[in-house]
Amino acid sequence: MLELTNAQIGGWVGGFLLPLFRVSALLMVMPIFGTQLVPMRVRLYLALAIVVVILPGLPPAPQVEGISLQAVLLIAQEVLIGAMLGFALQLFFHAFVVAGQIIATQMGLGFASMIDPTNGISTAVIGQFFTMLVTLLFLAMNGHLVVIEVLTESFVTLPIGGGFLTDQYWELANKLGWVLGAGLMLVLPAVTALLVVNLAFGVMTRAAPQLNIFSIGFPLTLVVGMVIVWIGMADILALYQALASEALQWLRDLAEVR
């Protein structure tokens, strides 16, 4: 009959379950894998597979009792670290969502919304288009592999049982304004062009008050906005590379990975 001692159970809890909580928290929060498109069971299987692969290279974990206050605190710490890394990636993706919302509002497409299948909320069509675009670019350029690499190295820089990381959480909170700044950088040319178009319509209305500016200006602004978005797609790759490099470097800084 197989008998397990408390030391063996504690070693398994510290060596396998605690890394599993960090990996699972990251997969539950990060974009693409943490969306409603990926079933919960698939995310759990993926977390198990990642832990099995990276487990031989992880540093020794502390032995804890399976049912104790120390184990609960360590689990909470691992969940917070994984959620912190996943939320940092969410900020990067939402910069493009904010850009799409701003463009849609300026060109008059703010009312044209659809259900976002990834988050289950209603978003503008332009914002949904940017979300799909950044998702494809992130996967095509192996961004998910970089995230797994940072996650693996975080077990060395942020070891299990190393204490709560208040500095990282404050840095994450301070970066919330980065989303709006990055979104404005993406849409600044389009917003400037649409502002010029609206100013031209204002001058036309002033010069010819009898002109029905609403029947002419709305479809023309819509068409001009679509043309501007189409022209702006030529530089979207360079903008994505700059923002992705900054976001992934920020992810490394949060995990103290060099």
Side-chain angles (χ1 to χ4, degrees):
M1 182 176 179
L2 180 62
E3 294 183 358
L4 299 176
T5 62
N6 291 332
Q8 290 175 327
I9 296 176
W12 289 350
V13 171
F16 184 80
L17 289 183
L18 292 178
L20 179 62
F21 277 107
R22 183 182 298 192
V23 176
S24 301
L26 174 66
L27 294 180
M28 296 297 174
V29 177
M30 71 173 292
I32 305 175
F33 299 105
T35 61
Q36 296 182 359
L37 296 177
V38 182
M40 191 76 67
R41 186 175 299 176
V42 174
R43 279 178 270 179
L44 179 59
Y45 291 157
L46 184 59
L48 288 171
I50 292 176
V51 172
V52 169
V53 171
I54 68 176
L55 190 60
L58 297 183
Q63 292 188 0
V64 295
E65 295 183 6
I67 302 177
S68 63
L69 179 60
Q70 181 187 8
V72 173
L73 293 177
L74 290 177
I75 289 172
Q77 177 186 348
E78 295 305 302
V79 171
L80 285 175
I81 293 176
M84 174 187 67
L85 298 179
F87 185 71
L89 291 174
Q90 285 284 2
L91 292 180
F92 166 63
F93 273 68
H94 276 76
F96 289 84
V97 177
V98 170
Q101 295 281 1
I102 294 175
I103 293 180
T105 303
Q106 291 295 320
M107 64 187 295
L109 268 180
F111 64 91
S113 59
M114 61 179 294
I115 297 298
D116 184 1
T118 59
N119 299 314
I121 60 176
S122 180
T123 59
V125 176
I126 302 297
Q128 183 64 22
F129 170 74
F130 279 162
T131 301
M132 293 186 293
L133 181 63
V134 71
T135 300
L136 294 176
L137 289 175
F138 188 78
L139 293 176
M141 296 186 177
N142 294 328
H144 56 294
L145 299 182
V146 177
V147 173
I148 295 177
E149 178 188 0
V150 173
L151 175 65
T152 304
E153 295 180 2
S154 70
F155 287 99
V156 179
T157 57
L158 304 177
I160 298 174
F164 286 93
L165 311 170
T166 55
D167 294 338
Q168 278 80 357
Y169 300 135
W170 278 113
E171 183 180 354
L172 183 62
N174 293 331
K175 281 289 186 176
L176 293 177
W178 177 85
V179 178
L180 182 59
L184 290 176
M185 186 182 70
L186 288 169
V187 301
L188 189 59
V191 170
T192 304
L194 290 173
L195 179 61
V196 173
V197 173
N198 291 328
L199 289 176
F201 285 141
V203 173
M204 291 172 56
T205 305
R206 188 69 175 176
Q210 69 276 9
L211 186 65
N212 190 354
I213 196 62
F214 292 102
S215 61
I216 299 175
F218 179 73
L220 189 57
T221 304
L222 196 61
V223 172
V224 172
M226 295 299 294
V227 172
I228 292 173
V229 171
W230 174 59
I231 295 174
M233 288 296 103
D235 296 330
I236 193 66
L237 182 59
L239 292 173
Y240 168 81
Q241 289 178 339
L243 292 178
S245 299
E246 184 177 356
L248 292 176
Q249 182 58 45
W250 177 36
L251 187 68
R252 290 180 175 273
D253 294 338
L254 285 177
E256 298 182 355
V257 175
R258 295 294 182 265

